[in-house]
Amino acid sequence: MRRLVIGFTCAALAVLTLAPTPQAQAPAAGYTTLEATEANAATTFWTPERFASATPLDLPLALSTVEEAPAIGDPVSSPASAPRGGGGEVNELLFNPAGEDEIVMDGVQPENRGTFLADYTSTRVIPRKAEKKYPWKPTGRLFFRNLSGNTSWCSASAIGKRIVATAGHCVSNGNGSFYSNWVFVPAYRSGVAPFGNWSWSTVIVTNTWHTGGGGVPNAADYAMIIVPDRLIGKRMRRVGDYLGHYGWQTLSLSANHTTQLGYPGNFDLGSIQHQITSGAFRNTSPNNVEYGSDSRGGSSGGPWIQNFSELASGQAGIGLNPGRNRVVAVTSYGYISTDPKVQGASIPDQRWVDLWNFVCNAGAGNC
């Protein structure tokens, strides 16, 4: 059976019986978890037809927002790590994409802006197949089954040895119901999984999103997924060792600049990893920051990475915020009108740290 248990600030728990398979639990107020009853719960669900029919999850849209002051406090962080023990490709064909790889993207302009006058640069990841290199390859498509029974995708990234981060709205509808059958495909391109596809064992999401009503901006629209090890060649590998993984840093989204990665469906049909570079534009209530961007549905959950880089000789330790390849947010929302050309994200704070502590403590070697 699949059981959903939602944690409240008081001792009472509400228990709902749902469809068979995974089990949901809320071990503490502030977040809710969903656990698979089998280690590779999604593998039997996914067929080439279901991969091919997946559509980008609609980006939650805000009509308007209210500006607010930046969050205060000291950031908490975890370092990034390059691949360990080699990261050769496996190139699993998920489905035949019917020529998606030949799509030409028009209209990319450096230093573009929308009606909000927030500057950004938008491009498919270049050079060709750069997504197979670190630090791009910890980012991928996150496939899942939505509540209507159809298949969708978001974006996600590896932030630990067995940990993937995404948006809360990519795992739950915001009204207490989980999606299902998540599969993470790092460095996805045109129907091919160059580093294989990775199933899930546990999903954890903040109650701020999970039972918050589904509206945006939301103060903590983020989630984490524990992915089981899988056989690569002749040995079992952890996703974060195989690909490398990003670090993360809380309270660092304001007054920063980031590289935003993901698979927006409005560019290249979401078949090629896309990259936005922009700086913080404005803080919005509650606990969000907006950056310039022209990405839409499918980009949800993609990482916003500070100091996205490979260090040059002599560069280490320079500056006041040197932590490199650290996720400081994940894509949360856009606007009903496409004209502003901005996206917003919740500022990771103690709620992010609480999710991290749970997934790390859930199994030895997870982080």
Side-chain angles (χ1 to χ4, degrees), residues 2-300:
R2 183 185 181 195
R3 294 178 54 203
L4 179 66
V5 186
I6 303 173
F8 296 94
T9 53
C10 61
L13 297 177
V15 182
L16 303 177
T17 300
L18 303 176
T21 37
Q23 292 187 340
Q25 300 179 13
Y31 54 83
T32 302
T33 66
L34 183 69
E35 298 187 5
T37 56
E38 51 185 281
N40 294 300
T43 55
T44 57
F45 171 80
W46 287 99
T47 63
E49 293 75 22
R50 283 173 169 158
F51 277 119
S53 64
T55 57
L57 184 71
D58 290 339
L59 187 71
L61 302 177
L63 179 61
S64 63
T65 57
V66 177
E67 292 192 58
E68 70 173 11
I72 59 174
D74 296 323
V76 179
S77 64
S78 176
S81 175
R84 297 183 178 184
E89 299 173 28
V90 297
N91 290 317
E92 295 176 351
L93 180 65
L94 304 178
F95 65 96
N96 289 310
E100 286 181 8
D101 204 27
E102 303 304 319
I103 295 169
V104 176
M105 187 170 71
D106 297 320
V108 175
Q109 296 176 306
E111 300 182 3
N112 207 342
R113 57 175 58 171
T115 56
F116 280 14
L117 304 183
D119 293 317
Y120 64 89
T121 297
S122 177
T123 177
R124 65 166 56 153
V125 166
I126 50 176
R128 180 179 169 84
K129 299 184 179 179
E131 71 274 6
K132 294 183 179 182
K133 307 296 183 182
Y134 187 83
W136 288 275
K137 67 181 180 180
T139 294
R141 259 206 206 187
L142 181 69
F143 291 88
F144 59 95
R145 187 182 188 184
N146 58 40
L147 295 180
S148 68
N150 298 319
T151 55
S152 297
W153 88 73
C154 278
S155 300
S157 62
I159 62 167
K161 301 295 174 50
R162 297 191 181 101
I163 311 305
V164 168
T166 190
H169 70 264
C170 295
V171 305
S172 151
N173 70 346
N175 289 297
S177 295
F178 278 103
Y179 304 135
S180 62
N181 296 100
W182 295 273
V183 167
F184 176 55
V185 183
Y188 170 88
R189 186 177 180 119
S190 299
V192 175
F195 303 106
N197 64 84
W198 301 71
S199 187
W200 71 287
S201 63
T202 302
V203 169
I204 182 170
V205 61
T206 67
N207 283 343
T208 306
W209 171 261
H210 187 58
T211 55
V216 290
N218 180 276
D221 180 15
Y222 40 75
M224 296 181 190
I225 301 173
I226 302 175
V227 299
D229 301 353
R230 61 161 288 171
L231 187 66
I232 302 291
K234 296 182 178 180
R235 55 188 287 212
M236 297 298 291
R237 301 296 301 273
R238 296 181 295 187
V239 66
D241 288 335
Y242 182 47
L243 304 170
H245 64 79
Y246 303 127
W248 54 263
Q249 190 167 307
T250 66
L251 302 180
S252 300
L253 192 55
S254 300
N256 207 338
H257 67 278
T258 67
T259 298
Q260 305 160 34
L261 299 178
Y263 290 84
N266 57 318
F267 299 128
D268 292 327
L269 300 181
S271 64
I272 300 173
Q273 194 176 119
H274 201 79
Q275 177 173 318
I276 308 285
T277 53
S278 56
F281 172 62
R282 66 174 185 176
N283 288 65
T284 58
S285 179
N287 195 47
N288 285 252
V289 183
E290 293 177 349
Y291 281 54
S293 173
D294 55 3
S295 293
R296 302 293 287 177
S299 64
S300 293

Side-chain angles (χ1 to χ4, degrees), residues 267-346:
F267 299 128
D268 292 327
L269 300 181
S271 64
I272 300 173
Q273 194 176 119
H274 201 79
Q275 177 173 318
I276 308 285
T277 53
S278 56
F281 172 62
R282 66 174 185 176
N283 288 65
T284 58
S285 179
N287 195 47
N288 285 252
V289 183
E290 293 177 349
Y291 281 54
S293 173
D294 55 3
S295 293
R296 302 293 287 177
S299 64
S300 293
W304 294 21
I305 306 164
Q306 76 165 25
N307 298 335
F308 184 75
S309 63
E310 179 176 309
L311 287 183
S313 176
Q315 188 180 359
I318 294 176
L320 299 179
N321 186 28
R324 64 188 180 98
N325 296 324
R326 290 184 179 178
V327 174
V328 294
V330 299
T331 300
S332 175
Y333 70 90
Y335 280 84
I336 292 175
S337 169
T338 60
D339 295 334
K341 297 290 189 293
V342 299
Q343 288 187 316
S346 309

